[in-house]
């Protein structure tokens, strides 16, 4: 027994000694020893080392290919850059779990494309933990394209830099305002005409319309997903009460919509609509197939969704069932007629999502050259439009997709997005600047283009919270608070709306409970980060 | 007793047996004991970049966070409620089925029933949960029956109070046939002369079942009961995750599903390991108690 205790003590001491070495916080740079060995220009001369690249597989690609490697896009990318890139993908639907397991296993590829804000402890932690490297030197030495872009647009750099000034990704950047908005509401125009109503603008008009729809025998007058992600993307109806469903900035002050009175009013409205049968009774079911069938069967009169992915498939499906089916996009609702909507849907042009180079990579330079390609002139065209003469042609100076992409008959029955997935990455994301000429052609139905104009006509971007970096400690504390709050709020919201919990209880306790769970501290942490961001 | 000589002799005589045992031994070492070393991250601020050894020690901080957190009482009581209901309703079901099948005179009918009832066991859990979702949906068959008798249709998976019944009943449906096989085997071994003697004494069918059949298979029942207790807290989190939603967290969120959410989705391995370890400790305590009681009451025990 004595021996055992002694052994334990020694082991403990040894471990503490090791810990001592491990936790020393070293300044996070790659040491400034990075030297360039390859020549400028593409294709890059090299010995054909494999550069592994982890990225989740988009639905636009998985519809026809097992992996990006099997696409024309990957083949062309290899030829153009001269770099032997090999893509690997997590299981679809388990991206977060697969990512976390990969990080814990330390068996890392050369490049990981991911939303780095989701990394536990934030991007800063990813660097100090030696998962990925700081790209400052790499960008400076071997990435002329992105370097130039960062110099021209300081905001692009700021949004992808950690608190201590480390660039961590080759980011995805939306190159135009029209690319930032993609979600909102549409209403069945034929139902509206039948009811003799105009497209609704205020909450009151919405209510009138939904009630009328119900009288007309429509089963679920309004259908939409309200889980945390969708709600914070679209701010459905909350915006009318003067708050966003996520963090936002008003007069230099960071605010959190769900901790404001506006959220309570929003839940009250939804509860009322649910009890009257105006809201889809299965709205908590997040299965996208179910939503498609509800809209396609004409069971829903109004729906929230994205112009491309959702309405792009819902509208043709609805028309198939009912030739009279027509959709009209409606603006984000307000309280008083004539007001301009304060919130809507708009993503920031860039921030946090992109391709990072791992700390274990033996091919840092090749990886960097590969990633920098997308930001140059040639790479920009390649990522957005593909191969000239095959997937696009220049028509009057505008790159225009060919029939292989746009014509369902000629591409083997694929949708436009899926056909694009074979050649380009503009239809989802990646390390490049998205081109606005892509979106105008991606939306094949003029209703979709109109929708973007209608949905973006609000002040969302004015109040947007920038991707302001937090320190490791801030991030750790913040994440702990916010994950707890997210779970709590979604649960309590669902239960109140569906009537499992009484509205009075909700009104009496909700805001206090948010405070008790530390929302004020979370806002304070965001505020600190925001203030620092502005000083940069 | 164990002199060197005796051991050497034993080895010479039985070395083939020991060799046979080796794979089993290796299995437990590699897959059950070696991973246990990872448990130490429950007491650490685990950072993948630093590895298990070099991550800093933080003592019981993870445990304290769990015990004082918002989800401790809820996940613990849900775990207990679901596992105890599972035991109370799930355990006797196959015994009853086996007794019923045993009473059937037509052997071909008995065989058919047996086959049909154990089929669901082979269906993948994901498919089973898909079936459950369809059955209890607002326009599903269960709601059809409810409305037929004048009730109101609703999506049952959105109702916190319906979660445990759905979980338990579907579990019984899936495992009842498979579970009854071992009892049927035990029933086949009961001496038929006992029944003849009993019927001569005037005992009816029920009396025979109660006084002959049940006592005959009692040892089997008790052994299986103790084995079952050992898995009591190991609620299959896969099924919970496939069926629950924020609407039903209140009754459905158990320790293992919470561990999964926090560990794999929120990436807090240390904390999640601490929660899992706590689950194992309770599990161990339960087996220990059950085993002690069983030994005192009827001399049958696992150790």
């Amino acid at each position: 027994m004595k021996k055992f205790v002694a052994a334990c003590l020694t082991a403990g001491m040894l471990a503490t000694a090791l810990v001592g070495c491990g936790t020393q916080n070293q300044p996070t740079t790659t040491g400034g020893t990075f030297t360039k060995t390859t020549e400028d220009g593409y294709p890059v001369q090299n010995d054909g080392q494999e550069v592994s690249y982890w990225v989740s597989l988009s639905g636009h690609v998985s519809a026809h290919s097992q992996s990006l490697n099997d696409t024309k896009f990957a083949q062309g990318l290899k030829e153009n850059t001269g770099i032997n890139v090999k893509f690997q993908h997590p299981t679809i639907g388990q991206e977060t779990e697969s990512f976390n397991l990969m990080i814990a296993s330390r068996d890392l590829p050369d490049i990981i494309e991911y939303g780095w804000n989701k990394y536990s402890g934030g991007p800063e932690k990813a660097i100090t933990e030696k998962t990925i490297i700081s790209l400052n030197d790499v960008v400076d030495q071997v990435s002329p394209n992105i370097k130039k872009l960062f110099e021209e647009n300081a905001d692009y750099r700021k949004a992808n830099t950690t608190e201590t000034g480390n660039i961590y990704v080759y980011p995805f950047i939306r190159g135009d305002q029209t690319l930032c908005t993609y979600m909102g509401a549409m209403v069945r125009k034929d139902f509206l005409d039948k009811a003799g109503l105009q497209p609704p603008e205020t909450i009151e008009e919405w209510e009138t319309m939904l009630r009328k729809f119900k009288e007309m025998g429509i089963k679920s007058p309004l259908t939409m997903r309200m889980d945390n992600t969708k709600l914070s993307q679209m701010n459905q109806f909350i915006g009318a009460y003067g708050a966003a469903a996520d963090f936002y900035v008003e007069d230099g002050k960071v605010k959190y919509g769900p901790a404001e009175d506006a959220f309570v009013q929003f839940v009250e409205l939804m509860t009322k609509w649910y009890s009257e049968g105006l809201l889809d009774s299965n709205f908590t079911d997040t299965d996208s197939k179910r939503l498609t069938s509800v809209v396609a069967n004409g069971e829903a009169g109004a729906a929230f969704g994205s112009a491309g992915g959702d309405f792009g498939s819902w509208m043709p499906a609805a028309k198939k069932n009912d030739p009279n089916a027509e959709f009209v996009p409606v603006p984000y609702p307000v309280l008083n007629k004539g007001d301009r909507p304060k919130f809507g849907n708009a993503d920031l042009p860039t921030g946090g999502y992109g391709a990072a180079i791992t700390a274990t990579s033996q091919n840092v330079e090749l990886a960097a050259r590969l990633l920098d390609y997308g930001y140059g002139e040639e790479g920009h065209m390649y990522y957005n439009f593909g191969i000239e003469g095959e997937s696009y042609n220049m028509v009057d100076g505008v790159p225009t997709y060919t029939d292989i992409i746009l014509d369902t008959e000629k591409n083997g029955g694929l949708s436009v997005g899926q056909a694009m997935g074979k050649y380009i990455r503009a239809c989802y994301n990646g390390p490049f600047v998205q081109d606005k000429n892509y979106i105008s052609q991606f939306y094949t139905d003029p209703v979709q283009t109109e929708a973007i104009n209608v949905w973006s006509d609000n002040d969302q971007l004015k109040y947007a919270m920038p991707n302001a970096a937090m320190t490791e400690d801030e991030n750790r504390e913040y994440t702990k608070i916010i994950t707890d709050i997210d779970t709590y709020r979604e649960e309590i919201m669902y239960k109140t709306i569906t009537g499992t919990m009484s509205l009075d209880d909700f009104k009496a306790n909700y805001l206090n409970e948010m405070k008790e769970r530390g929302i004020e501290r979370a806002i304070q942490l965001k505020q600190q980060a925001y203030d620092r961001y502005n000083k940069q | 007793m164990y002199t060197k000589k005796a051991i050497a002799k034993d080895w010479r005589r039985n070395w083939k047996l020991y060799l046979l045992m080796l794979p089993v031994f290796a299995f437990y070492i590699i897959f059950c004991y070696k991973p246990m070393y990872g448990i130490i991250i429950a007491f650490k601020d685990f950072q993948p970049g630093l590895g298990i050894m070099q991550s800093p020690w933080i003592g019981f901080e993870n445990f304290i966070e769990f015990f004082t957190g918002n989800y401790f009482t809820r996940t613990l009581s849900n775990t207990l409620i679901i596992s105890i209901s599972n035991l109370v309703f799930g355990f006797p079901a196959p015994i009853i089925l086996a007794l019923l099948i045993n009473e059937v005179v037509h052997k071909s009918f008995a065989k058919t029933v047996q086959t049909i009832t154990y089929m669901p066991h082979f269906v993948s859990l994901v498919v089973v949960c898909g079936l459950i979702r369809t059955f209890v949906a607002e326009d599903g068959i269960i709601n059809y029956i409810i409305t037929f008798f004048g009730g109101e249709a609703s999506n049952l998976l959105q109702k916190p109070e319906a979660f445990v019944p759905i979980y338990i009943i579907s579990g019984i449906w899936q495992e009842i046939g498979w579970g009854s096989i071992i009892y049927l085997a035990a029933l086949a071994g009961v001496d038929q002369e006992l029944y003849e003697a009993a019927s001569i004494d005037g005992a009816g069918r029920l009396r025979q079942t109660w006084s002959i059949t049940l006592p005959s298979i009692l040892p089997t029942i008790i052994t299986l009961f103790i084995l079952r207790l050992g898995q009591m807290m190991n609620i299959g989190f896969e099924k919970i995750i496939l069926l629950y939603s924020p609407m039903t967290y209140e009754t459905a969120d158990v320790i293992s599903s919470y561990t999964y959410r926090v560990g794999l989705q929120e990436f807090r391995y240390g904390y999640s390991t601490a929660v899992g370890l706590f689950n194992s400790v309770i599990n161990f305590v339960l087996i220990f108690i059950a085993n002690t009681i069983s030994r005192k009451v009827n001399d049958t025990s696992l150790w």
Side-chain angles (χ1 to χ4, degrees):
Chain A
M1 191 61 197
K2 257 186 200 160
K3 262 187 191 166
F4 176 70
V5 173
C8 283
L9 284 176
T10 333
M13 267 150 60
L14 205 66
T16 349
L18 287 170
V19 170
C21 309
T23 49
Q24 272 169 21
N25 251 334
Q26 284 148 358
T28 55
T29 54
T30 40
T33 51
F34 190 83
T35 44
K36 190 176 163 202
T37 57
T38 54
E39 308 252 331
D40 279 345
Y42 292 97
V44 180
Q45 293 302 318
N46 69 86
D47 308 332
Q49 295 100 317
E50 192 176 284
V51 174
S52 47
Y53 191 137
W54 188 96
V55 58
S56 55
L57 194 62
S58 156
H60 291 309
V61 182
S62 64
H64 46 72
S65 306
Q66 288 284 318
S67 145
L68 258 186
N69 294 319
D70 305 337
T71 59
K72 287 258 186 184
F73 167 79
Q75 289 157 20
L77 187 67
K78 270 187 215 172
E79 278 166 30
N80 293 355
T81 60
I83 295 166
N84 183 15
V85 56
K86 181 124 201 245
F87 291 98
Q88 39 182 271
H89 309 288
T91 315
I92 292 171
Q94 292 177 12
E95 287 80 4
T96 313
E97 289 92 330
S98 307
F99 175 84
N100 288 342
L101 279 174
M102 173 176 72
I103 298 302
S105 75
R106 308 314 289 165
D107 186 10
L108 305 176
D110 295 303
I111 299 168
I112 300 176
E113 190 180 312
Y114 194 65
W116 292 95
N117 289 329
K118 288 188 282 175
Y119 191 93
S120 167
E124 180 86 68
K125 184 81 179 276
I127 296 175
T128 47
E129 273 185 359
K130 296 196 172 62
T131 299
I132 58 175
I133 58 172
S134 159
L135 297 173
N136 293 9
D137 286 331
V138 184
V139 165
D140 193 48
Q141 303 280 326
V142 289
S143 308
N145 296 327
I146 187 92
K147 189 179 170 191
K148 186 159 159 259
L149 190 70
F150 280 163
E151 277 163 7
E152 286 165 2
N153 294 285
D155 276 348
Y156 289 172
R157 188 185 50 74
K158 260 161 82 175
N160 294 293
T161 303
T162 66
E163 190 262 333
T164 51
N166 292 309
I167 299 168
Y168 54 92
V169 280
Y170 289 82
F172 173 60
I173 298 167
R174 295 182 181 85
D176 192 81
Q177 185 88 44
T178 50
L179 295 160
C180 297
T181 295
Y182 52 93
M183 289 177 130
M186 288 213 210
V187 176
R188 281 284 290 263
K189 185 152 189 312
D190 46 324
F191 292 174
L192 272 179
D193 291 344
K194 221 161 138 194
L197 292 168
Q198 290 296 310
E201 284 169 26
T202 64
I203 299 242
E204 219 183 304
E205 286 173 0
W206 266 91
E207 200 167 278
T208 317
M209 175 190 79
L210 296 174
R211 284 197 181 129
K212 194 89 188 198
F213 280 1
K214 191 79 190 175
E215 281 167 26
M216 285 160 57
I218 294 157
K219 197 177 154 206
S220 317
L222 169 65
T223 186
M224 59 181 179
R225 276 176 58 179
M226 264 192 268
D227 46 289
N228 286 332
T229 327
K230 293 284 169 197
L231 206 56
S232 60
Q233 275 175 333
M234 296 194 276
N235 303 310
Q236 308 100 305
F237 302 103
I238 308 177
Y241 296 108
D246 204 344
F247 285 96
Y248 63 100
V249 186
E250 196 166 14
D251 305 326
K253 274 189 74 179
V254 174
K255 292 182 175 173
Y256 185 60
E260 309 251 326
D261 205 39
F263 189 78
V264 178
Q265 288 172 289
F266 159 74
V267 172
E268 196 173 351
L269 179 76
M270 288 299 121
T271 311
K272 185 166 131 203
W273 286 2
Y274 184 89
S275 67
E276 287 183 33
L278 305 181
L279 182 63
D280 180 6
S281 60
N282 286 312
F283 76 97
T284 57
D285 189 346
T286 53
D287 185 12
S288 61
K289 273 191 195 122
R290 194 195 62 83
L291 212 57
T292 307
S293 79
V294 168
V295 180
N297 296 338
E299 284 173 30
F304 275 81
S306 66
D310 295 337
F311 285 105
S313 59
W314 295 347
M315 290 193 296
K319 269 180 198 148
K320 213 184 243 171
N321 284 329
D322 178 1
N324 296 323
E326 267 190 72
F327 290 81
V328 56
V330 294
Y332 277 87
V334 290
L335 272 188
N336 304 310
K337 188 114 182 151
D339 283 359
R340 183 179 161 78
K342 198 167 166 186
F343 298 101
N345 155 256
D347 276 4
L348 291 161
T350 182
Y353 185 92
I357 300 177
T358 59
T360 52
S361 173
Q362 300 296 312
N363 302 307
V364 174
E365 186 172 355
L366 280 183
R369 295 294 308 273
L370 175 75
L371 295 173
D372 192 47
Y373 176 71
Y375 303 93
E377 222 164 281
E378 187 193 326
H380 178 78
M381 292 306 282
Y382 187 72
Y383 268 89
N384 282 292
F385 304 103
I387 305 159
E388 181 156 17
E390 193 170 340
S391 63
Y392 79 99
N393 288 309
M394 293 304 280
V395 179
D396 303 330
V398 177
T400 309
Y401 296 112
T402 59
D403 283 349
I404 286 187
I405 305 262
L406 298 177
D407 194 337
T408 322
E409 308 273 296
K410 287 187 186 149
N411 63 22
L414 299 174
S415 73
V416 174
Q418 290 164 351
M420 283 179 170
K422 280 188 173 173
Y423 286 92
I424 61 174
R425 292 197 61 181
C427 50
Y428 45 112
N429 49 29
F432 64 100
V433 181
Q434 203 178 26
D435 194 295
K436 69 172 176 186
N437 283 318
Y438 134 77
I439 199 77
S440 49
Q441 298 175 69
F442 175 67
Y443 292 148
T444 45
D445 191 327
V447 172
Q448 291 170 305
T449 321
E450 191 199 330
I452 300 305
N453 293 328
V454 173
W455 295 341
S456 59
D457 189 18
N458 52 55
D459 293 333
Q460 172 75 22
L461 280 174
K462 215 189 272 176
Y463 298 103
M465 173 80 195
N467 187 30
M470 288 183 168
T471 66
E472 258 186 67
D473 287 339
E474 281 172 353
N475 196 304
R476 177 177 288 234
E477 196 184 350
Y478 166 79
T479 313
K480 215 185 241 177
I481 298 173
I482 212 72
T483 45
D484 177 44
I485 279 181
D486 273 349
T487 317
Y488 165 74
R489 139 167 99 100
E490 192 173 88
E491 183 181 338
I492 211 91
M493 179 183 82
Y494 280 175
K495 276 159 78 176
T496 310
I497 295 177
T498 55
T500 319
M501 196 180 127
S502 87
L503 185 63
D504 292 336
D505 277 355
F506 173 79
K507 281 158 100 175
N509 300 324
Y510 174 73
L511 289 177
N512 280 336
E513 183 68 27
M514 289 292 268
K515 277 197 192 112
E516 219 147 87
R517 288 177 190 239
I519 190 58
E520 279 164 348
R521 177 68 184 147
I523 295 174
Q524 195 188 347
L525 291 167
K526 276 273 182 191
Q527 183 77 47
Q528 284 173 15
Y530 177 75
D531 292 343
R532 266 198 315 266
Y533 180 87
N534 275 348
K535 270 187 213 135
Q536 267 174 33
Chain B
M1 235 161 94
Y2 295 115
T3 59
K4 263 185 195 166
K5 223 171 145 191
I7 291 170
K9 194 179 162 197
D10 179 58
W11 177 250
R12 263 201 309 282
R13 186 194 286 168
N14 293 329
W15 66 272
K16 283 174 189 157
L17 288 180
Y18 286 118
L19 203 66
L20 271 178
M21 216 175 80
L22 199 65
V24 181
F25 201 61
F27 172 87
Y28 277 101
I29 296 282
I30 295 170
F31 294 107
C32 296
Y33 283 90
K34 190 175 163 283
M36 272 191 208
Y37 131 91
I39 287 174
I40 58 175
I41 69 171
F43 305 95
K44 285 186 160 208
D45 174 17
F46 178 61
Q47 297 168 29
L50 296 175
I52 294 179
M53 282 324 287
Q54 297 198 15
S55 294
W57 293 94
I58 52 165
F60 285 91
E61 213 174 276
N62 284 326
F63 291 89
I64 292 166
E65 193 194 329
F66 177 53
F67 294 146
T68 54
N70 291 313
Y71 296 106
F72 173 63
T73 23
R74 184 165 89 177
T75 49
L76 180 63
S77 69
N78 284 343
T79 309
L80 289 173
I81 289 171
I82 292 183
S83 48
I84 290 171
S85 328
N86 214 359
L87 191 72
V88 170
F89 299 103
F91 184 73
I95 303 176
I96 295 168
L97 180 75
L99 291 175
L100 290 176
I101 291 177
N102 195 43
E103 296 296 319
V104 172
V105 185
H106 288 284
K107 282 297 151 213
S108 58
F109 179 69
K111 282 267 182 307
T112 316
V113 170
Q114 225 182 314
T115 313
I116 291 173
T117 51
Y118 80 59
M119 289 257 250
H121 174 80
F122 298 100
V123 179
S124 144
L125 192 62
V126 181
V127 179
V128 167
C129 291
L131 289 173
I132 298 173
R133 279 177 171 280
T134 316
F135 286 162
V136 303
E138 204 174 344
D139 48 4
I141 183 157
I142 308 283
N143 271 305
Y144 180 78
I145 297 169
I146 292 176
T147 44
F148 184 81
F149 288 105
E152 207 170 300
S154 58
N155 188 342
L156 297 175
L157 273 179
Q158 287 185 11
K159 299 194 152 183
E161 68 273 17
F163 187 86
V164 177
I166 291 176
Y167 183 90
I168 304 293
I169 294 171
S170 61
I172 293 177
W173 169 74
Q174 197 183 2
E175 294 302 333
I176 189 168
W178 183 254
S180 69
I181 290 179
I182 200 157
Y183 295 113
L184 282 168
L187 285 171
V190 179
D191 193 346
Q192 292 302 317
E193 284 180 19
L194 290 173
Y195 291 110
E196 283 168 29
S199 60
I200 289 168
D201 289 345
R205 269 331 246 273
L206 262 179
R207 184 77 215 184
Q208 286 178 18
T209 307
W210 188 251
S211 303
I212 299 171
T213 319
L214 271 180
S216 306
I217 61 169
L218 197 62
T220 315
I221 293 178
I222 287 171
T223 311
L224 285 178
F225 184 72
I226 296 174
L227 284 174
R228 174 102 180 204
L229 278 180
Q231 298 186 346
M232 201 163 123
M233 296 286 280
N234 295 343
I235 298 171
F237 75 96
E238 299 94 339
K239 191 169 160 191
I240 300 258
I241 282 171
L242 288 167
L243 291 178
Y244 79 173
S245 71
M247 282 289 301
T248 48
Y249 278 174
E250 185 189 336
T251 52
D253 197 16
V254 294
I255 294 180
S256 52
S257 60
Y258 180 66
T259 312
Y260 169 82
R261 273 212 316 281
V262 178
L264 276 181
Q265 293 183 331
E266 290 167 22
F267 202 49
R268 299 177 58 201
Y269 288 129
Y271 178 66
S272 149
T273 307
V275 177
L277 184 59
F278 170 73
N279 194 27
S280 305
V281 170
I282 303 189
N283 206 357
F284 182 76
V285 171
L286 280 178
I287 305 181
F288 191 81
I289 294 172
N291 197 56
T292 313
I293 294 174
S294 167
R295 191 171 46 211
K296 289 244 163 78
V297 174
N298 53 28
D299 289 339
T300 318
S301 66
L302 286 178
W303 68 82

